[in-house]
Amino acid sequence: MTTSRRRFLTLGAAAAGLFLPARLAAQAAAPRVVVVGGGFAGASCARALRQADPRIAVTLVEPNRTFTACPFSNAVIAGLRELSAQEFTYDRIAADGIVLARTAATAVDPSARSVALADGAHLAYDRLVLAPGIDIRWNALPGYDEAASEKMPHAWRAGEQTLLLRRQLDAMPDGGLVVMSAPANPFRCPPGPYERASLIAHYLKTKKPRSKLIVLDAKDAFSKQRLFQAAWAELYPGLLEWVPLSKGGNVTSVEPATNTLITDFGRHKAAVANVIPPQRAGRIADAAGVADRTGWCPIDPSTFESKLVPGIHVIGDAAIAGAMPKSAFAANAQAKTCAAAVARLLAGGSPPTPKLINTCYSLVAPDYGISVAGVYQPSGGQLVDVPGSGGLSPTDAPRAVRAVEATLADAWFRTITAEVFG
Ligand SMILES: Cc1cc2nc3c(=O)[nH]c(=O)nc-3n(C[C@H](O)[C@H](O)[C@H](O)COP(=O)(O)OP(=O)(O)OC[C@H]3O[C@@H](n4cnc5c(N)ncnc54)[C@H](O)[C@@H]3O)c2cc1C
């Protein structure tokens, strides 16, 4: 019997009015869950755990005082929105009775069930949830290290990098060349580079119409491709050029000193360079032993428990979630599924078989939205598409429908941030 299960049974015995020796009664402490990472996955999971069972003592480990959301950060880059609209505090989460440890987790000892924190403290857990998002694979693209990102921003974690890219676009003279690179799969937010390309193209069209944008891609296919390409042909002809892998789009190195992206076919010297580099799970996943050789974390699709280390669950971008994309919508859905499973496991029960939903909206212009939706279920140890579910925006929809989808995108962001942080 697990420690946590013993705790709950002890509580149950007390509730039933059974006699408990003082020593045993003193052990009837609440089960402890530590959640590392206060993003869409971790913050949502912490709250869902308290809702599933208020007896669970939940600690959320997150070094930042405010969370800066990536969805809609492409609109910040294009000058359509301020970064402050992306920032959320943890005040309401603390008000839910969740203990906040305002520091980073640095190590995990799975045998002692303990997390080490950067401030020197240790947190004991009965179950641990890791939700650290992504880390950049520095130097996986030769020449692209942390110093290079100050010259050629990735802006793939929202905040200072987002503002840097925006400032560079603002400072660029009309007629300048913007070059973006998109990585091979898997990476955070599959449609994100193409939404960014669209909104940068919108910025150039409206503010610097003699300029041009080239997107160098390590792939031949991408999310919502037909919808994006149809919209680009309609809105940004001659302004936005997408170069797929098969046409020499794969960037093999970068040269920060000259702002140049290099492919097997040539060199692209940019006025503004946005490099979206290869990624991996946040590094605490590695430290905990839950990341495999891919850099991402294999999980059980019903509970999100690590396939490598029992007692540790991984959710959000860090997890290998099969057909589910790495999105904030998916992170929130996984958080709730994981919380329900953890609460059941702590109570000695077995978790239900989940179905999870994802919808990703993208803006091609401020009043032009498109979306893709999917429903997923466990099968063969992975999350797979539920046959016949999900879908894309229609390819031949009138502009009024695109405008409605842009409004829906905004409504989605307000709803998810209110649910997770509000
Ligand atoms: C440009 C862009 C646009 C996007 N648009 C959309 C969109 O429209 N819709 C959508 O659904 N998704 C979108 N996404 C994807 C979305 O942002 C991510 O999928 C989502 O943030 C994943 O949530 P997460 O909780 O796994 O990671 P995050 O939200 O990144 O949260 C991780 C948290 O963990 C913390 N952390 C990391 N390591 C530690 C540690 N050792 N100790 C303590 N804390 C730690 C970090 O500080 C961070 O707060 C977009 C992404 C980008 C880059």
Side-chain angles (χ1 to χ4, degrees):
M1 193 187 297
T2 64
T3 316
S4 37
R5 173 138 193 216
R6 244 186 338 261
R7 279 204 175 87
F8 259 45
L9 293 182
T10 311
L11 278 173
L18 301 177
F19 172 75
L20 281 178
R23 189 178 53 80
L24 271 183
Q27 284 176 2
R32 298 149 306 179
V33 179
V34 174
V35 180
V36 173
F40 284 104
S44 173
C45 187
R47 287 190 117 166
L49 279 162
R50 293 284 297 175
Q51 275 161 16
D53 192 332
R55 291 172 298 177
I56 301 174
V58 181
T59 304
L60 179 62
V61 183
E62 167 62 56
N64 297 313
R65 297 255 147 194
T66 54
F67 175 71
T68 309
C70 284
F72 275 88
S73 65
N74 288 329
V76 177
I77 291 164
L80 300 166
R81 184 182 176 91
E82 294 311 313
L83 193 67
S84 54
Q86 302 295 113
E87 293 172 341
F88 302 90
T89 72
Y90 293 98
D91 297 352
R92 300 300 299 270
I93 289 170
D96 277 357
I98 293 159
V99 175
L100 289 179
R102 296 186 186 274
T103 181
T106 53
V108 176
D109 181 343
S111 50
R113 298 217 162 193
S114 168
V115 182
L117 305 182
D119 64 8
H122 288 79
L123 293 174
Y125 65 82
D126 295 305
R127 289 203 171 252
L128 173 63
V129 179
L130 294 182
I134 57 153
D135 258 319
I136 304 295
R137 284 180 185 268
W138 300 115
N139 284 314
L141 176 61
Y144 199 71
D145 57 14
E146 228 161 332
S149 72
E150 297 301 317
K151 187 92 193 303
M152 309 169 97
H154 55 77
W156 219 240
R157 280 193 299 224
E160 197 36 53
Q161 280 273 309
T162 313
L163 294 177
L164 177 60
L165 184 54
R166 172 171 165 164
R167 283 196 300 270
Q168 290 185 350
L169 286 169
D170 278 346
M172 185 185 80
D174 191 5
L177 174 66
V178 183
V179 184
M180 282 179 63
S181 72
N185 294 321
F187 63 97
R188 159 175 284 183
C189 195
Y194 313 97
E195 180 189 67
R196 177 171 295 173
S198 306
L199 294 183
I200 289 179
H202 173 80
Y203 170 80
L204 299 178
K205 181 178 170 179
T206 50
K207 300 276 182 358
K208 294 172 182 170
R210 294 189 300 119
S211 307
K212 190 170 174 191
L213 169 62
I214 296 178
V215 183
L216 300 171
D217 207 326
K219 306 177 289 305
D220 278 326
F222 61 86
S223 173
K224 292 181 260 190
Q225 181 166 355
R226 276 184 40 196
L227 290 163
F228 273 114
Q229 288 185 312
W232 292 344
E234 180 187 343
L235 301 176
Y236 311 120
L239 199 159
L240 191 170
E241 183 190 350
W242 175 65
V243 186
L245 170 70
S246 55
K247 299 242 167 74
N250 186 39
V251 175
T252 51
S253 66
V254 297
E255 219 174 71
T258 57
N259 235 23
T260 302
L261 295 88
I262 296 148
T263 69
D264 285 336
F265 292 72
R267 297 167 61 86
H268 300 265
K269 185 169 165 42
V272 173
N274 171 213
V275 176
I276 304 173
Q279 300 147 36
R280 54 175 300 136
R283 73 178 63 105
I284 189 67
D286 229 1
V290 294
D292 70 12
R293 276 184 297 176
T294 66
W296 306 101
C297 307
I299 45 96
D300 174 285
S302 292
T303 61
F304 287 83
E305 186 164 6
S306 166
K307 285 182 175 171
L308 303 180
V309 185
I312 304 182
H313 301 249
V314 187
I315 53 174
D317 284 356
I320 300 173
M324 264 192 125
K326 298 187 186 301
S327 76
F329 196 121
N332 185 31
Q334 293 168 10
K336 291 176 188 168
T337 301
C338 175
V342 166
R344 281 278 187 98
L345 289 165
L346 288 170
S350 22
T353 304
K355 280 210 171 57
L356 298 96
I357 300 176
N358 176 65
T359 306
C360 281
Y361 293 97
S362 300
L363 293 180
V364 185
D367 60 349
Y368 193 125
I370 55 176
S371 64
V372 58
V375 186
Y376 309 90
Q377 64 189 6
S379 175
Q382 222 13 297
L383 282 165
V384 301
D385 289 295
V386 171
S389 69
L392 279 166
S393 305
T395 38
D396 53 356
R399 281 300 290 272
V401 171
R402 307 297 189 212
V404 169
E405 287 230 68
T407 311
L408 289 174
D410 184 60
W412 165 76
F413 184 73
R414 287 171 197 276
T415 307
I416 191 172
T417 51
E419 189 188 326
V420 177
F421 298 100

